[in-house]
Amino acid sequence: VHRIDKDTSGLLVVAKDDATHIGLSQQMAVHSVERAYNTIVYGGFAQDEGFVETNLGRSKTDRKKMAVTDKNSKNAVTNYEVLREYRGYSLLKLRLETGRTHQIRVHMAYLGHPIAGDFVYGTPRTKEELALNGQCLHAGLIGFIHPRTNEYVEFTSDLPLYFKKFIGGLTVDE
């Protein structure tokens, strides 16, 4: 029903039949599916919460990448909340209002806070980051109206071990 980027951990929604797929896809199309991610990004934030709203489209210089652009683009909105700050990094909770390819990764890099371990939109800065098995981006919550029962259902997923170990190696900013 939806995808997550390669090297992103967490939850996916898969439909067992066509009717369920159609029902879930319709919810995704109108952005009524609740999705929350956790990420570790470079740097600290002046505000504890905020949002990014830009147009995203294919990069002019690298067709495999997305970029903030007005050409052949679609609106994208990412809300963020700072959960904890570390020396040189911040742990964020992100909620998507839209679901564009590489949206979170592009938005965080656009703000000057690329995701730790993201070799496409960021530059790894430490040996610990180079050793990561993926970027520190985790789809931790998904909620939607079940197409058959019409009841709201919500699923969560704990951070993977590599993500927890990376956080455990960071120094808390006082």
Side-chain angles (χ1 to χ4, degrees):
V1 176
H2 76 107
R3 301 180 298 257
I4 57 176
D5 296 343
K6 180 183 178 209
D7 295 330
T8 297
S9 58
L11 299 165
L12 289 173
V13 177
V14 180
K16 288 175 66 174
D17 57 55
D18 288 341
T20 303
H21 185 266
I22 290 167
L24 291 169
S25 294
Q26 288 172 340
Q27 290 180 63
M28 294 294 281
V30 298
H31 311 296
S32 65
V33 175
E34 180 74 21
R35 292 173 293 162
Y37 292 75
N38 291 103
T39 189
I40 295 283
V41 298
Y42 296 125
F45 287 75
Q47 300 170 327
D48 288 341
E49 57 186 43
F51 70 96
V52 187
E53 183 172 8
T54 66
N55 289 327
L56 297 182
R58 289 269 169 221
S59 168
K60 294 178 211 168
T61 57
D62 184 346
R63 69 171 209 80
K64 292 181 182 178
K65 291 173 74 172
M66 302 302 284
V68 173
T69 180
D70 287 325
K71 186 173 182 178
N72 298 320
S73 61
K74 292 184 178 179
N75 181 258
V77 181
T78 304
N79 297 290
Y80 67 86
E81 176 186 355
V82 178
L83 299 178
R84 190 149 199 197
E85 293 203 336
Y86 301 90
R87 186 165 299 130
Y89 296 92
S90 294
L91 172 63
L92 305 180
K93 181 178 187 177
L94 306 162
R95 292 196 181 270
L96 299 181
E97 290 186 28
T98 56
R100 309 290 177 225
T101 302
H102 299 180
Q103 176 175 324
I104 292 171
R105 297 164 65 198
V106 173
H107 273 168
M108 293 299 104
Y110 176 74
L111 290 179
H113 298 284
I115 295 171
D118 187 346
F119 292 90
V120 176
Y121 296 101
T123 304
R125 301 175 185 178
T126 65
K127 66 179 185 199
E128 293 81 14
E129 194 178 342
L130 288 167
L132 286 169
N133 293 334
Q135 61 225 1
C136 286
L137 179 59
H138 179 72
L141 179 144
I142 193 156
F144 53 88
I145 303 296
H146 193 284
R148 295 218 186 261
T149 66
N150 285 326
E151 291 180 28
Y152 180 77
V153 293
E154 189 172 274
F155 302 92
T156 59
S157 171
D158 288 335
L159 294 174
L161 185 58
Y162 79 89
F163 199 129
K164 289 179 182 177
K165 282 184 178 180
F166 187 76
I167 290 173
L170 298 176
T171 305
V172 176
D173 237 358
E174 298 296 332

